[in-house]
Amino acid sequence: MPSESRMTQHLDPRSPWVISTHDLGKRPGTMRQTTLTLPAPANLGVDMIGVPKDADVELDLRLEAVMEGVLVSGTAQAPLAGECARCLDPVTSDIEVDLQELFFYSDEDASDEDSLLDGELLDLEPTFRDAVVLALPLSPVCREDCPGLCTECGIKLAEAGADHRHEKIDARWASLQGLITENDNDQEK
């Protein structure tokens, strides 16, 4: 029995990520290649890095009619923005992901997790979103050898230099520290 949410879901043909397959018909073997530039959807990322909302996403796609539906395959390239997990400096880069999804013609051939066509329309955004989120680094770095921040004072270790240190005094001996200073002053007299 098809789920109610799948039966009532209708795609908006004006949405940039909704693609028409009208020219493919339902003739297996019919194929179309296309290159698109679409705005990135909102909230596409992980804690430290992601694709900025409305950034240009370059898609190079192949849509092919098969017996069960339409097979979409290709690549997507998008810019990334975030911050270094070690020093918190801004990080920018690009990501390229492979896309492949079969959009079924009917509920009968598909499981609950499979994608369905809405008439002749398919929504590519969930496929793109899944591919990008899985490919994002969980701990992005500004450079591979980034030393990060000092755990004592928070200064960037790359700027502080190799001789950056903090004097560590064991709390059990802290009261004796004053005696050494007083004793040195007495010897100078």
Side-chain angles (χ1 to χ4, degrees):
M1 178 87 185
S3 66
E4 178 126 353
S5 63
R6 288 178 71 152
M7 289 174 57
T8 59
Q9 174 188 359
H10 289 288
L11 299 177
D12 180 359
R14 295 169 295 178
S15 172
W17 287 89
V18 173
I19 297 172
S20 173
T21 62
H22 176 75
D23 58 328
L24 297 177
K26 290 189 176 183
R27 298 179 308 272
T30 309
M31 193 238 344
R32 174 182 76 185
Q33 289 190 297
T34 186
T35 303
L36 302 169
T37 301
L38 300 177
N43 303 321
L44 181 54
V46 292
D47 290 340
M48 302 293 286
I49 197 163
V51 178
K53 181 181 184 301
D54 294 329
D56 285 344
V57 176
E58 302 291 328
L59 297 164
D60 187 14
L61 301 174
R62 175 182 165 149
L63 287 80
E64 184 177 358
V66 295
M67 292 297 290
E68 301 87 5
V70 175
L71 177 64
V72 178
S73 57
T75 59
Q77 293 179 323
L80 294 178
E83 57 187 25
C84 178
R86 295 180 190 162
C87 70
L88 304 179
D89 274 352
V91 172
T92 57
S93 65
D94 293 307
I95 190 168
E96 181 174 330
V97 293
D98 292 325
L99 304 174
Q100 186 165 3
E101 186 78 23
L102 177 58
F103 291 85
F104 286 87
Y105 291 128
S106 72
D107 236 356
E108 297 160 5
D109 298 330
S111 71
D112 287 339
E113 294 82 33
D114 289 329
S115 300
L116 289 175
L117 285 164
D118 180 12
E120 298 175 334
L121 301 176
L122 62 85
D123 186 3
L124 200 54
E125 182 183 334
T127 303
F128 171 69
R129 182 178 293 277
D130 290 348
V132 168
V133 170
L134 289 174
L136 288 174
L138 294 178
S139 297
V141 291
C142 58
R143 61 179 209 255
E144 288 301 317
D145 63 342
C146 176
L149 302 175
C150 174
T151 58
E152 297 288 324
C153 65
I155 192 169
K156 291 181 187 171
L157 292 174
E159 296 171 2
D163 59 341
H164 179 76
R165 290 185 177 71
H166 295 276
E167 187 177 331
K168 294 186 179 172
I169 300 172
D170 189 331
R172 297 173 291 182
W173 300 102
S175 61
L176 297 178
Q177 185 66 28
L179 295 176
I180 294 173
T181 307
E182 291 172 13
N183 193 11
D184 289 343
N185 290 338
D186 289 343
Q187 288 180 0
E188 290 176 8
K189 290 182 188 176

